[in-house]
């Protein structure tokens, strides 16, 4: 399968080629033809599956097909994302794929001054990528109207619900014309998600890739049993030497993330923490540093990690086992992306055994136990 077979137009194909995309991913193969056909879609897919291109490419192509060369920029597409990082990443994808096309887009998210965003809006935007809170805020101030939207994407709907954005999302949707094409993406198909999806979608095509219960087969998973108080020594131990060049470490809490990063720094390891209490500029600086590998270890909470997009992230370390088994699948999905292999290590203390059990149940396999380590318990 090639992108040409998906009937994409040349200005998109040439940019995909430059980006080194050779074959479309399964979610792209399954979604793009239906979306180009004008269908609504329910996509069950997590980050790392190529879902952004699965909706961004058809949107760009459909906007191009309908382009009125005399008209000003009219906002026809809205993408809602739960986090700033994801919104920025989606924007970057639209920029990359649409380089040869002349559409403008604005990225709207909170935590920063609204002035620059308003300036962007005033210039006129074809594509709006936004997190719910700030979008609603700017709508209420009269800077944004959604009455010209024809394409609406709700990305990571499960996370939107988890983060308590449902009411904001509903208020926003109420302002979008009913006559539209809706693309709904979620990593899970829980009943609450399905209820929301059914209220938004008209006769949707359902596509599903790597359901959340099947962990990426390219990820090698192992677990270390260790006492809680020894986890920091174990982390230091596994990071010793050069085997782990670059790692994303997960903690359950913001405080935990700060503590782990501080401890690593005190041992001379270049580490930073990222979580919701950090300012936008810090988050951007840290993500950039991690992306260009100046920062070796990024310690993150689950919400902050959503949307961290680092090519070929080799290692994910679960410093703490997540309470929700699905979260484990999301976490390790950060590694081994787009065809490269990854390694996921989990540190499990006695009080976390039940979480690990749930994970085993969900992924339907046992994770290899590393017994030979100095802090075995
Ligand atoms: P996403 O799931 O949209 O976050 O995409 C995950 C990563 O895969 C991103 O870094 C994309 O740039 C990359 N990607 C998406 N589609 C393809 C493709 N067809 N071939 C290679 N890489 C891709």
């Amino acid at each position: 399968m090639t992108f040409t077979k998906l009937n994409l137009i040349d200005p998109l194909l040439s940019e995909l080629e430059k980006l080194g995309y050779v074959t479309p991913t399964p979610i792209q193969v399954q979604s793009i033809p239906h979306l180009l056909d004008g269908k609504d879609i329910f996509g069950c897919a997590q980050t790392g599956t190529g879902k952004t291109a699965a909706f961004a490419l058809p949107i760009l192509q459909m906007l191009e097909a309908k382009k009125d060369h005399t008209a000003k920029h009219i906002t026809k597409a809205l993408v809602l994302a739960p986090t700033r990082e994801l919104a920025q990443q989606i924007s970057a994808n639209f920029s990359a794929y649409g380089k040869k096309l002349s559409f403008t887009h604005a990225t709207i998210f909170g935590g920063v001054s609204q002035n620059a965003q308003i300036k962007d809006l005033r210039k006129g935007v074809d594509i709006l990528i936004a997190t719910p809170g700030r979008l609603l805020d700017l709508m209420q101030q009269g800077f944004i109207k959604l009455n010209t939207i024809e394409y609406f994407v709700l990305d990571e709907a499960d996370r939107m619900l988890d983060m308590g954005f449902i009411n904001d999302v509903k208020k926003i949707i109420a302002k979008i014309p009913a006559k539209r094409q809706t693309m709904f993406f979620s990593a899970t198909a829980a009943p609450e998600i399905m209820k929301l999806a059914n209220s938004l979608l008209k006769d949707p095509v359902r596509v599903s890739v790597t359901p959340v219960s099947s962990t990426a087969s390219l990820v090698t998973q192992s677990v270390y049993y260790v006492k809680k108080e020894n986890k920091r020594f174990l982390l230091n131990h596994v990071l010793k030497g050069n085997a782990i060049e670059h790692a994303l470490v997960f903690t359950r809490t913001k405080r935990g993330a700060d503590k782990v990063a501080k401890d690593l720094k005190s041992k001379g390891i270049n580490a930073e923490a990222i979580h919701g209490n950090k300012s936008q500029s810090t988050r951007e600086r840290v993500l950039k540093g991690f992306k260009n590998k100046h920062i070796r270890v990024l310690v993150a909470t689950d919400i902050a990690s959503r949307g961290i997009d680092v090519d070929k992230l080799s290692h994910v370390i679960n410093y703490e086992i997540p309470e929700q088994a699905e979260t484990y699948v999301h976490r390790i999905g950060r590694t081994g992306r787009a065809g490269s292999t990854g390694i996921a290590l989990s540190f499990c203390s006695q009080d976390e055994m039940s979480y690990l059990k749930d994970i085993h149940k969900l992924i339907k396999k046992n994770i290899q136990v590393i017994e030979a380590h100095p802090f075995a318990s």
Side-chain angles (χ1 to χ4, degrees), residues 152-267:
F152 170 53
V153 181
L154 188 63
D155 199 12
E156 303 203 344
D158 53 327
R159 196 52 46 162
M160 295 272 192
L161 294 184
D162 287 354
M163 292 171 77
F165 290 156
I166 184 69
N167 286 330
D168 284 355
V169 169
K170 282 185 175 160
K171 280 186 207 158
I172 292 165
I173 292 168
K175 301 286 181 201
I176 307 174
K179 191 174 175 303
R180 59 164 192 252
Q181 187 177 0
T182 306
M183 309 164 204
F184 187 108
F185 288 89
S186 170
T188 68
E192 216 186 333
I193 295 289
M194 294 316 297
K195 205 172 130 200
L196 180 64
N198 290 335
S199 73
L200 298 180
L201 298 165
K202 286 194 198 98
D203 191 20
V205 175
R206 282 191 63 134
V207 298
S208 177
V209 295
T210 45
V212 76
S213 60
S214 71
T215 47
S217 57
L218 285 165
V219 181
T220 309
Q221 304 165 60
S222 41
V223 60
Y224 294 71
Y225 292 119
V226 57
K227 281 205 177 99
K228 213 182 195 124
E229 62 270 26
N230 283 334
K231 282 192 179 183
R232 59 201 197 99
F233 302 114
L234 178 60
L235 183 60
N236 197 38
H237 170 76
V238 300
L239 290 172
K240 236 186 257 160
N242 301 323
I244 302 181
E245 205 186 310
H246 205 216
L248 179 58
V249 174
F250 284 99
T251 59
R252 269 202 303 266
T253 64
K254 296 172 196 171
R255 241 177 50 137
D258 282 332
K259 248 172 92 178
V260 171
K262 198 171 154 205
D263 190 57
L264 289 173
K265 272 195 226 169
S266 77
K267 293 184 173 112

Side-chain angles (χ1 to χ4, degrees), residues 323-337:
E323 289 173 30
Q324 301 290 328
E326 285 86 2
T327 305
Y328 174 84
V329 180
H330 288 306
R331 285 182 180 183
I332 76 161
R334 304 292 132 133
T335 179
R337 314 180 105 188

